[in-house]
Amino acid sequence: MNCLVVDDEPLARQLLESYIARVDGLVLVKSCANALEAFSILQHQPVDLLFLDIQMPLVTGIDLLKSQSIRSRVIFTTAYRDYAIEAYDLDVVDYLLKPIHFERFLKSIAKIYQFKEPFGLLEEHAPIAQGYEDAYIFLKENREMVKVFLKDILYIESLRDYVRVKTLDKQVISYQKISYLEQKLPENKFIRVHRSFIVALDLIKSFTLSSVRVGTLEIPIGRNYKTEVLKALNKNNILREDSF
């Protein structure tokens, strides 16, 4: 995750920089002394995680969050308890009180992974469809974040609390709910055909009224999903009126 530190106190910035350097998977993009500098960076460089002080000259951290739509996850770092309620109204990941100890820092990072969300999803539904060739997600497998391009996904299989994401050249097994991925994937490219399967519409090789074939796997169409599946096949010109 690309990280940005924003704090007007040099010692506070240095401490967070040292913590970020100690955690695998965190990369420091920049360390800023004020919100205006951070604003400029956020316009030009992707940032996954923002460590943001609240009380700063000119523009506060809360003002920065309210001034634009920031897609980064945000952890407030502050010496003041008074802003906690307002901070959570802004949907921040955590609220760290100074002095920040490393163990407490790690708990904040752990909260991000507890969301069980794929990192790196480029846009919301409509923009993803527009830039589909370049859209991707990062899925956590073991200790690594694995990059998966949406166009390469054949199907996603639910394994209870895990999912198997099968692509053209690999598979990734990640601690994730299939229902969450269903919400995030573009509807005109993927469809849930069974409680345990999501398939890529463009990569369906063949089908019957009870199953679809994607890659080498024949996937059943669940009874509760049949109407929507056939409707999607028809909408994508896969199913003709005289098909059956």
Side-chain angles (χ1 to χ4, degrees):
M1 287 184 287
N2 289 330
C3 302
L4 178 65
V5 173
V6 188
D7 199 308
D8 62 324
E9 300 177 19
L11 291 178
R13 291 198 305 273
Q14 292 171 16
L15 181 67
L16 287 172
E17 291 166 12
S18 69
Y19 287 173
I20 291 170
R22 292 168 63 181
V23 178
D24 290 341
L26 299 185
V27 178
L28 181 65
V29 170
K30 184 74 175 180
S31 189
C32 306
N34 59 72
L36 294 177
E37 185 182 356
F39 180 87
S40 177
I41 292 171
L42 289 167
Q43 304 307 304
H44 301 96
Q45 187 161 0
V47 173
D48 302 306
L49 181 55
L50 183 62
F51 294 95
L52 184 61
D53 187 20
I54 293 180
Q55 284 283 25
M56 292 183 289
L58 301 178
V59 178
T60 70
I62 288 177
D63 289 338
L64 175 63
L65 280 189
K66 290 180 175 179
S67 68
Q68 63 168 336
S69 177
I70 293 179
R71 301 185 63 85
S72 314
R73 292 192 174 94
V74 177
I75 295 175
F76 272 135
T77 59
T78 179
Y80 303 93
R81 297 178 180 271
D82 303 345
Y83 299 98
I85 294 176
E86 188 173 5
Y88 283 112
D89 285 342
L90 292 168
D91 199 27
V92 300
V93 174
D94 207 351
Y95 190 92
L96 294 182
L97 284 172
K98 300 175 182 176
I100 300 169
H101 300 288
F102 186 59
E103 292 77 10
R104 183 65 182 86
F105 175 86
L106 288 179
K107 286 183 178 180
S108 284
I109 302 303
K111 284 186 178 183
I112 294 174
Y113 289 104
Q114 287 169 7
F115 285 147
K116 304 179 181 67
E117 295 184 2
F119 297 108
L121 198 54
L122 293 185
E123 299 290 347
E124 295 300 330
H125 289 187
I128 282 180
Q130 294 168 7
Y132 186 71
E133 288 299 307
D134 298 319
Y136 64 90
I137 54 176
F138 276 110
L139 294 170
K140 187 180 181 184
E141 184 177 46
N142 299 323
R143 298 176 62 87
E144 293 185 322
M145 300 302 291
V146 182
K147 188 175 186 178
V148 177
F149 284 94
L150 300 192
K151 66 180 180 180
D152 293 338
I153 296 176
L154 292 168
Y155 63 84
I156 299 168
E157 179 183 2
S158 174
L159 306 173
R160 304 190 77 172
D161 290 333
Y162 290 78
V163 291
R164 184 202 321 274
V165 179
K166 178 66 175 175
T167 74
L168 296 171
D169 60 356
K170 64 185 176 186
Q171 72 172 15
V172 179
I173 296 177
S174 181
Y175 186 60
Q176 184 64 261
K177 291 288 189 180
I178 194 172
S179 57
Y180 179 82
L181 291 181
E182 181 184 15
Q183 294 172 7
K184 290 297 184 181
L185 294 170
E187 295 178 0
N188 65 329
K189 294 294 184 180
F190 294 88
I191 187 167
R192 185 90 169 257
V193 299
H194 187 276
R195 65 180 182 178
S196 297
F197 287 97
I198 296 172
V199 302
L201 279 166
D202 292 344
L203 298 179
I204 293 176
K205 287 186 175 181
S206 61
F207 64 92
T208 68
L209 287 176
S210 60
S211 67
V212 295
R213 181 173 293 279
V214 182
T216 60
L217 184 66
E218 185 174 338
I219 297 173
I221 298 175
R223 181 177 59 184
N224 295 333
Y225 298 89
K226 181 172 292 187
T227 300
E228 290 301 316
V229 171
L230 295 180
K231 185 187 298 184
L233 293 174
N234 183 53
K235 185 177 180 180
N236 284 270
N237 297 318
I238 297 175
L239 177 63
R240 303 189 315 273
E241 291 182 1
D242 61 347
S243 293
F244 297 97

